Amino acid sequence: MNEQELNSFLALYKKETKQTDAWLERRLNQAEDPQFNFTTEELTFGARVAWRNSNKCIGRLFWNSLTVLDQRHLLDEEEVFGALLEHIAFATNNGKIRPVISIFAQNRVHIWNHQLIRYAGYETADGVIGDSDSLAFTKICEALGWRGACTNFDVLPLVIQIDDHQPTFFEIPKDYIVEVQIEHPHYDFSSLQMKWYAVPIISSMRFNIGGMDFQAAPFNGWYMGTEIGARNLADEARYHFLPKVAQQMGLETTSNASLWQDRALVELNVAVLHSYKKSGVSIVDHHTAAQQFQLFQQQEQKEQREVTGNWVWLIPPLSPATTSIYHQPIHNKTNKPNYFYQQLPYK
Ligand code: ARG
């Protein structure tokens, strides 16, 4: 265990939750025990602060409302699967999405998925079907015995590993997965058959707190529209829908200078926001999210804490210079607790 990081976490917890000197002394003594672990209260505080410290995240205004599900006692694949379904259901909340993190036993539970809900990708003779970001993981699922229907939007199974056992895959029952068909308020995009899922639940990052790592700690917020409309459905290396959207809009696509890509991009993003709203699924547009980020900065300033951030990630991919974030330099310093990338469990 990293003593210095543990000490600084306990000191932060003491300061922000107003613990006594006696409390700190007692916890530091207990930390000498190899069986030492965090209380659920400490873990809850740490997971929220880790969100507050997430430099790439524009949605941090809501850090203190994160629901933390302490699942450290689960050491069986079926039980972990059950807890992940519980996470999906609680977070989805019939569309009124709640930010949630589930924390599993450190060093023992591993989730192989990048997100709990994500679409498969298949390499075929006539190009990729589905999400090309999922090609490698889809192959892993197939090697474990899973077979997808080979549509553009097959939801991948959950792949769970305990200790050094063989990983096990579990299909998510359909009724747990809320999806939104993308339609435009004026243009007819129905022939494109675009859709996306309601809740982005990142499951590939480790939660680092007081020098300890929780490798399985899936967390979610709600989507910002541009993640879907300006990246997932638009990127050439993802679903590449812009030429088709432009065609439905009757745009002339031979000249770059007609800005057909930009016009298609705006209307695709209008369609995403419109469709989520119409389906009653939480989503935020990038202008509102940037205003919320500004509020977060003001709130943090009052608490005399520096807001750190990764500018390249914080600016939205659509009309970035219309947001205040674009015009402010921000210090990309890493504070802990935090969420970090980790090596893929496969490969
Ligand atoms: N950008 C990722 C995606 O499109 C999701 C990242 C987390 N996003 C969020 N709103 N919490 O699937």
Side-chain angles (χ1 to χ4, degrees):
M1 195 162 16
N2 185 324
E3 202 176 314
Q4 202 188 324
E5 294 207 1
L6 180 65
N7 292 358
S8 58
F9 172 72
L10 291 175
L12 184 72
Y13 182 84
K14 173 179 185 275
K15 182 174 174 208
E16 294 196 21
T17 67
K18 303 189 167 63
Q19 303 295 324
T20 62
D21 291 341
W23 172 88
L24 184 60
E25 203 175 320
R26 180 158 39 84
R27 284 307 268 152
L28 287 172
N29 271 327
Q30 290 168 347
E32 305 285 318
D33 184 338
Q35 295 299 310
F36 174 86
N37 217 327
F38 294 117
T39 63
T40 298
E41 291 70 30
E42 289 162 351
L43 211 61
T44 299
F45 169 80
R48 290 174 177 166
V49 173
W51 184 6
R52 187 174 85 198
N53 287 336
S54 290
N55 286 0
K56 293 171 178 168
C57 179
I58 193 175
R60 286 179 272 166
L61 176 63
F62 305 99
W63 68 272
N64 208 15
S65 68
L66 180 67
T67 295
V68 180
L69 303 178
D70 185 353
Q71 308 287 28
R72 288 177 292 172
H73 55 289
L74 304 180
L75 288 169
D76 159 293
E77 291 85 351
E78 294 278 346
E79 287 176 352
V80 171
F81 171 58
L84 294 178
L85 292 185
E86 203 183 304
H87 182 136
I88 291 171
F90 186 85
T92 307
N93 191 27
N94 291 315
K96 209 179 157 14
I97 296 172
R98 294 184 278 220
V100 183
I101 184 169
S102 296
I103 300 172
F104 294 93
Q106 51 182 316
N107 305 327
R108 301 200 56 187
V109 179
H110 301 270
I111 299 168
W112 284 27
N113 305 64
H114 167 66
Q115 291 180 28
L116 296 188
I117 299 170
R118 233 193 174 205
Y119 299 125
Y122 312 89
E123 199 106 58
T124 77
D126 346 271
V128 171
I129 294 177
D131 194 338
S132 37
D133 244 28
S134 299
L135 289 174
F137 181 64
T138 303
K139 278 201 188 131
I140 295 285
C141 294
E142 289 172 336
L144 292 172
W146 179 79
R147 287 290 169 271
C150 223
T151 76
N152 242 344
F153 300 100
D154 297 346
V155 173
L156 288 158
L158 293 167
V159 178
I160 298 163
Q161 181 187 7
I162 312 280
D163 297 326
D164 55 1
H165 307 172
Q166 266 288 113
T168 315
F169 73 87
F170 298 88
E171 201 77 67
I172 305 173
K174 285 237 176 321
D175 50 325
Y176 278 87
I177 300 166
V178 173
E179 293 178 295
V180 177
Q181 300 288 334
I182 307 302
E183 56 170 58
H184 191 280
H186 313 302
Y187 294 110
D188 184 7
F189 288 173
S190 59
S191 64
L192 306 188
Q193 302 265 24
M194 295 185 289
K195 65 172 173 177
W196 205 255
Y197 50 86
V199 195
I201 314 170
I202 299 288
S203 50
S204 56
M205 293 176 87
R206 65 184 161 95
F207 168 40
N208 178 268
I209 169 174
M212 294 188 206
D213 271 329
F214 293 84
Q215 294 81 1
F219 58 82
N220 74 278
W222 47 81
Y223 265 115
M224 179 163 84
T226 55
E227 298 183 84
I228 303 163
R231 303 299 312 279
N232 302 345
L233 295 178
D235 277 5
E236 204 168 322
R238 297 291 297 287
Y239 279 83
H240 193 40
F241 272 114
L242 289 188
K244 290 176 185 154
V245 166
Q247 194 180 21
Q248 288 310 111
M249 291 172 63
L251 298 176
E252 170 59 64
T253 59
T254 50
S255 140
N256 285 335
S258 72
L259 301 189
W260 66 268
Q261 297 187 85
D262 310 70
R263 299 176 82 172
L265 202 50
V266 168
E267 297 308 332
L268 177 53
N269 278 273
V270 166
V272 167
L273 292 168
H274 164 84
S275 306
Y276 273 65
K277 183 125 225 266
K278 191 172 160 187
S279 307
V281 174
S282 307
I283 196 159
V284 65
D285 66 82
H286 49 295
H287 303 290
T288 305
Q291 286 168 352
Q292 291 170 343
F293 187 74
Q294 223 175 356
L295 267 177
F296 169 65
Q297 289 177 303
Q298 290 163 8
Q299 196 174 283
E300 289 300 289
Q301 194 170 19
K302 272 199 204 120
E303 300 295 331
Q304 309 199 22
R305 291 189 293 253
E306 183 196 14
V307 174
T308 58
N310 185 337
W311 189 92
V312 175
W313 276 70
L314 288 173
I315 59 163
L318 198 62
S319 314
T322 63
T323 68
S324 60
I325 301 170
Y326 187 88
H327 304 278
Q328 304 165 9
I330 189 160
H331 186 189
N332 192 14
K333 173 182 178 238
T334 303
N335 290 319
K336 291 176 176 181
N338 213 319
Y339 303 106
F340 293 101
Y341 296 144
Q342 60 187 334
Q343 220 188 337
L344 289 174
Y346 49 94
K347 247 180 103 182

